[in-house]
Amino acid sequence: MGIVVLKFGGTSVSTPEKRAMIVRRVAETRENGYQVAVVVSAMGRNGDPYSTDTLKSLVLEEHPGVTPRELDLIMSCGEIISAAVLAATLTNKGIVSRALTGPQAGFLTDGSFSEAEVVDCQPEKVFDSLNRGEVPVITGFQGADSTGEINTLGRGGSDTSAVILGAALKAEMVEIYTDVSGIMTADPVVLKEAKVIEQITYGEVCQLAYEGAKVIHPRAVEVAMRNNITVIVRGHDGSTPGTVITGEAALKDGSFSTRGRRAVTGIAHSVDLAQFLIEFADPDSEREQKVFQRIGEANINIDLISVFPDVKAFTVREEDCAGVEEILRSLDLSYRLEKGCAKVSVVGVGMHSIPGVMARVVQALNQQNVKILQSGDSNITISLLIKKEDLLPAVKVLHSTFNL
Ligand code: ADP
Ligand code: MG
């Protein structure tokens, strides 16, 4: 009998009605002949009593200096509450279930608090539970290191837990249930015309996620790609098929036929960015090198890097501006800073074989009088830095330009 892992995100476990939907999803999957393991996130969003952010603020407000160890301990509680409640709900509905914490389910972490990596997963207790005919319900977002210390996996970590468990159980697929009907052509919060993408490659989803689409964690997609696991993203009511994420070879015939092939699959965006333009009066490789070195040492991520002999441009998150300014001042460099920026990225595995995509992007944005401050690209992505107020018109016009 094949195994399927079903993962339910924060909004999908938050109310008794939503948990009743989970019972139906589990029952359906079992009726289709699969053994089911469930992975859950903490209930709800910030402000809800047992959400991760609420638990975190509970200790941080009173004790801002709390140790990372204790902070991880409290942050791991939300998933434990979800798992215990959901296991009780399932058992009460006649589907015998067993809640397991990350460590009990065999998630071994690297020992770093708040952003731990899973280095191994030996899910004996999960197999035992499945073999007894039960539905094991496993907490996402957590594991323990080799000394037994609890570590959490960072934002979106439950997606990664689900795919890692899928790989360890040799599951046929992993289904990620969430509050939208699948992976969409743009963030539906920004663009209501966004549509569900039927099929998409691992590479495209990774790129959308890196560029700001938080619908699935990029690390989860990387693990799925390495282990060749099919991942399906669906709405928790189960009424529509959702999005199938696979390798390029598994894409249905036709989606990449030379005629009908699509150049762009989806659009992602991120906000609260700032652009730095540093001017070098004369070539000065030593100071140039120092700038990037010090920014790296300060653990500040830079993006959209353009290097010309007399100007270097890059972006950072707005919250990192002060840190960069301090470094530039200490090196006595003059610079221009543009705050209030956003980045819009078009992603599609088809674009590297279809010429003229950049021309269409530029033309579309010009039409809407959207000023492009900077651009960057990889073989399946073109990113444009624009002002925050231009974000909606930019997403809209790109969405229609590429017939999404
Ligand atoms: P969960 O709690 O189930 O893990 P998340 O909030 O992490 O849910 O992810 C779902 C959210 O991702 C949606 O509510 C949506 O606003 C956002 N999102 C951003 N980009 C996209 C996209 N391209 N497709 C679908 N959802 C997107
Ligand atoms: Mg999520």
Side-chain angles (χ1 to χ4, degrees), residues 203-325:
E204 287 171 316
V205 184
C206 263
Q207 216 50 46
L208 285 172
Y210 286 135
E211 299 297 353
K214 62 158 194 168
V215 58
I216 184 170
H217 198 277
R219 208 190 290 167
V221 184
E222 283 165 21
V223 176
M225 177 155 59
R226 276 204 303 275
N227 293 278
N228 204 20
I229 294 180
T230 300
V231 177
I232 295 173
V233 179
R234 301 176 73 186
H236 42 225
D237 66 0
S239 62
T240 47
T243 304
V244 182
I245 311 174
T246 58
E248 224 168 301
L251 284 175
K252 266 192 227 148
D253 272 4
S255 54
F256 283 91
S257 70
T258 2
R259 267 165 185 278
R261 69 187 171 179
R262 57 189 186 197
V264 170
T265 303
I267 299 171
H269 72 271
S270 49
V271 290
D272 299 329
L273 304 175
Q275 182 195 41
F276 278 93
L277 288 163
I278 311 172
E279 283 140 35
F280 289 82
D282 33 43
D284 183 346
S285 57
E286 199 182 318
R287 272 200 301 178
E288 185 182 320
Q289 194 181 320
K290 270 195 187 142
V291 172
F292 292 112
Q293 194 182 333
R294 295 224 187 135
I295 292 174
E297 283 162 4
N299 243 335
I300 295 171
N301 270 319
I302 59 175
D303 189 24
L304 285 184
I305 306 152
S306 310
V307 175
F308 303 99
D310 48 353
V311 180
K312 322 287 157 195
F314 57 84
T315 62
V316 295
R317 305 211 57 80
E318 251 171 14
E319 65 203 34
D320 289 329
C321 278
V324 175
E325 286 194 278

Side-chain angles (χ1 to χ4, degrees), residues 75 78 115 134 147 150 169 201 224 235 248 301 356:
M75 290 207 325
E115 280 285 345
E134 301 167 355
T147 67
I150 304 273
L169 296 174
T201 64
E248 224 168 301
N301 270 319

